[in-house]
Amino acid sequence: MLACGIYVRISDDADGSGLGVARQLKDCTELATRKGWQVAETYCDNDVSATRGNAREEYQRMLGDIRNGRIGGLIVWDVDRLTRTPRELEDIIDLADRHGLQLACVGGELDLATPQGRLTARIKGSVARHETDQQSRRLKRKFLERAENGQPHSFAAYGYRRVDGKDVLVPEEAETVRRAARMLLGGQSLRSVVATFNSEGSVSPRGLRWASTTLRQVLLRDRNAGLRLHVGQVIGRGAWEPIYDVGTHDQVMALLTDPQRRSNRGAIRKHLLSGIARCSRAGCDGTMVVNPGRVGKDGKHQPPAYVCARCTRIRRKESDVDAVVEAVMIARLSQSDALMEVAVGDQETIRAAVAEIAQLEAKLARTADDYADDITTGEQFRRITGKLRLRLEQAKRSVAAAAPVRGLFDVIGSDAEDRWRAASLDVRRTLIEAFMSVTIDPLGPGRSFDPATVRIEWRT
Ligand SMILES: [Zn+2]
């Protein structure tokens, strides 16, 4: 009988969305029984009170027990409960190699002995590294709290600063918005305006280089024209000074939302990351284009690959890179706060609608429970759910109105994977650009694909 350890980690799950340690333990113990392993030791770290970056004591003790052979197997709820950095994951893979450690996960198969299993673990680790989970919970809790207290959530938009509860113009930022509108209405593409701004050293609302999606978001805000929104509808003038007049705003809106206007990039793209992924070689910073592949002298077909358009020294199989980026994107889009990152329009309204959707869905779930437990009758159940569904539809419509690209929000949500696969390439590319930058690092000579060389940085 294989002696195994169970490793669990307590994380902040005060809002109930997290996974309690008792549940983790129960599931892990059951898995041990199913696999016929004997639980020799249980390790439990507490992430709530521990300061960030603190060496996890129990984690260290567990590593020690693997090294000294006390345990030959390890059960975790999911790989993101086990490792928080790629470094830690590599240590575990290393231990698996040297000590024949067997790893089992409640949350799905994980086989560190095969290259495919390692790839899966690394992708999962790469998602965990960005701590999107934590971030999502923090945000969710924050805006729910505020919605319940009736407090305003939104920050002053780009171009404004909040002084004593009022939004006042920041002259340089307002001028940037005005110039962008002038340049666009003068016939320039969004992309060329962005290039001009970046060459001048102007920075986006988040202090980064401008990206087309960011500038587009800024320009689509009704408040630029001094218009006040409520539940997606303009209800009058705001108390703040507009950046430009309503006429200019209408023209900009018409231009940016025209469905005839193909992507702002000119050529229609056929690949997920061409023109988005960048080369990491020092001083190059070229963008990746796709080489469709060819038949070599040996008669073997080379698959399509991303190649740096500038230095041509970085080359990576297209499908490998796409797989990593898509897995990370799907994980990110599964989180409820993803929507706020790309929403346009009045943030307060969207937040309120998002909070309402969450509350209504929770209510629907409770109603179904009550019906299942015979607390409500079938007739009551139908009447209650009918009402809730109607309100849910309305809230969903006002959220959908905030999508910068039609159909964009259809991709975000709990079944993000299916929706992502069904989305158009245009929508997928827009989302990738809105959320992340992708840089491809060189690969050592003769080495096979390593997902760690696809470097993903979140734009937040
Ligand atoms: Zn390059």
Side-chain angles (χ1 to χ4, degrees):
M1 216 176 191
L2 182 74
C4 72
I6 292 178
Y7 179 79
V8 295
R9 194 149 66 83
I10 303 173
S11 62
D12 184 1
D13 57 352
D15 62 352
S17 65
L19 189 64
V21 68
R23 165 85 191 283
Q24 289 181 51
L25 262 176
K26 183 171 172 283
D27 289 349
C28 291
T29 311
E30 280 172 10
L31 182 59
T33 311
R34 276 206 304 282
K35 294 188 82 78
W37 292 2
Q38 192 191 358
V39 180
E41 199 62 61
T42 300
Y43 312 90
C44 177
D45 273 318
N46 188 337
D47 253 18
V48 182
S49 56
T51 48
R52 206 161 274 265
N54 196 346
R56 292 176 282 161
E57 279 177 19
E58 287 284 283
Y59 182 79
Q60 297 302 333
R61 186 164 75 86
M62 176 201 72
L63 293 185
D65 284 349
I66 295 171
R67 286 194 196 99
N68 66 30
R70 182 166 154 72
I71 55 172
L74 184 64
I75 299 185
V76 292
W77 205 89
D78 204 348
V79 70
D80 68 358
R81 294 278 146 180
L82 178 63
T83 62
R84 291 182 303 184
T85 63
R87 175 74 253 167
E88 287 177 350
L89 180 62
E90 294 309 314
D91 286 345
I92 294 285
I93 290 176
D94 199 36
L95 283 173
D97 278 351
R98 265 191 288 164
H99 301 273
L101 174 76
Q102 296 194 49
L103 189 67
C105 277
V106 174
E109 277 306 305
L110 199 67
D111 184 4
L112 294 183
T114 68
Q116 185 56 41
R118 288 177 185 209
L119 176 65
T120 308
R122 283 177 175 128
I123 289 172
K124 281 187 166 188
S126 152
V127 177
R129 172 172 38 145
H130 297 293
E131 294 184 290
T132 51
D133 193 32
Q134 292 271 355
Q135 184 199 21
S136 146
R137 276 191 223 141
R138 268 202 309 276
L139 277 177
K140 199 159 102 190
R141 196 165 51 242
K142 203 166 74 189
F143 85 68
L144 264 175
E145 243 167 49
R146 286 182 166 177
E148 278 160 15
N149 298 336
Q151 291 169 354
H153 325 257
S154 57
F155 298 94
Y158 181 80
Y160 294 92
R161 188 176 33 227
R162 188 152 295 173
V163 182
D164 297 333
K166 284 189 183 142
D167 288 353
V168 294
L169 282 178
V170 177
E172 317 82 71
E173 292 182 3
E175 183 51 30
T176 302
V177 179
R178 263 181 231 119
R179 260 185 81 206
R182 270 201 307 273
M183 289 161 88
L184 274 180
L185 296 177
Q188 290 198 41
S189 71
L190 203 51
R191 186 147 277 218
S192 78
V193 177
V194 164
T196 306
F197 284 0
N198 284 333
S199 71
E200 291 170 357
S202 160
V203 291
S204 78
R206 284 169 178 160
L208 307 167
R209 286 167 63 85
W210 282 99
S212 301
T213 42
T214 327
L215 185 61
R216 192 167 187 279
Q217 281 176 36
V218 167
L219 288 166
L220 285 173
R221 285 181 185 140
D222 288 304
R223 63 172 87 178
N224 293 348
L227 298 173
R228 175 148 187 82
L229 281 170
H230 182 68
V231 202
Q233 300 285 321
V234 174
I235 54 161
R237 295 263 165 199
W240 58 92
E241 194 187 333
I243 292 175
Y244 41 58
D245 59 30
V246 177
T248 306
H249 179 59
D250 284 346
Q251 287 180 47
V252 171
M253 290 284 275
L255 191 71
L256 290 178
T257 55
D258 181 3
Q260 297 302 313
R261 196 181 145 94
R262 282 292 311 167
S263 74
N264 306 305
R265 306 171 196 102
I268 295 170
R269 301 285 180 174
K270 293 197 199 87
H271 304 277
L272 192 66
L273 298 166
S274 51
I276 295 177
R278 306 191 86 89
C279 167
S280 81
R281 292 189 68 238
C284 177
D285 198 33
T287 51
M288 295 283 166
V289 292
V290 169
N291 180 315
R294 56 174 184 263
V295 179
K297 282 186 198 124
D298 52 1
K300 273 194 195 156
H301 185 78
Q302 280 193 320
Y306 290 110
V307 182
C308 172
R310 188 173 289 168
C311 74
T312 70
R313 300 277 294 276
I314 299 258
R315 183 189 182 95
R316 205 64 35 88
K317 194 169 144 194
E318 185 182 13
S319 57
D320 283 345
V321 179
D322 285 359
V324 172
V325 170
E326 295 199 289
V328 174
M329 271 308 289
I330 288 166
R332 182 71 185 87
L333 293 174
S334 306
Q335 296 166 345
S336 61
D337 72 298
L339 190 142
M340 295 310 299
E341 296 255 333
V342 285
V344 291
D346 186 69
Q347 297 263 308
E348 204 173 312
T349 308
I350 304 160
R351 281 209 170 90
V354 170
E356 201 189 355
I357 289 172
Q359 280 168 355
L360 289 170
E361 281 178 344
K363 257 186 204 160
L364 274 169
R366 273 203 303 277
T367 311
D369 283 347
D370 285 352
Y371 177 53
D373 294 342
D374 283 335
I375 296 170
T376 49
T377 66
E379 209 263 318
Q380 284 170 323
F381 174 67
R382 272 189 298 278
R383 209 179 54 233
I384 298 168
T385 53
K387 273 187 196 161
L388 292 177
R389 282 191 197 290
L390 208 66
R391 280 171 60 199
L392 193 60
E393 286 282 293
Q394 281 166 351
K396 281 189 170 165
R397 266 204 297 278
S398 62
V399 169
V405 174
R406 194 190 306 256
L408 194 62
F409 289 171
D410 298 343
V411 188
I412 298 173
S414 52
D415 48 352
E417 172 142 25
D418 292 343
R419 303 195 213 183
W420 175 267
R421 306 267 174 238
S424 71
L425 188 66
D426 217 27
V427 163
R428 280 184 277 164
R429 287 176 53 94
T430 304
L431 281 166
I432 290 170
E433 278 195 294
F435 278 95
M436 56 171 64
S437 67
V438 181
T439 316
I440 318 264
D441 286 336
L443 208 59
R447 279 176 51 201
S448 56
F449 177 68
D450 176 1
T453 59
V454 179
R455 214 152 17 93
I456 290 169
E457 266 152 44
W458 299 110
R459 289 201 188 278
T460 34

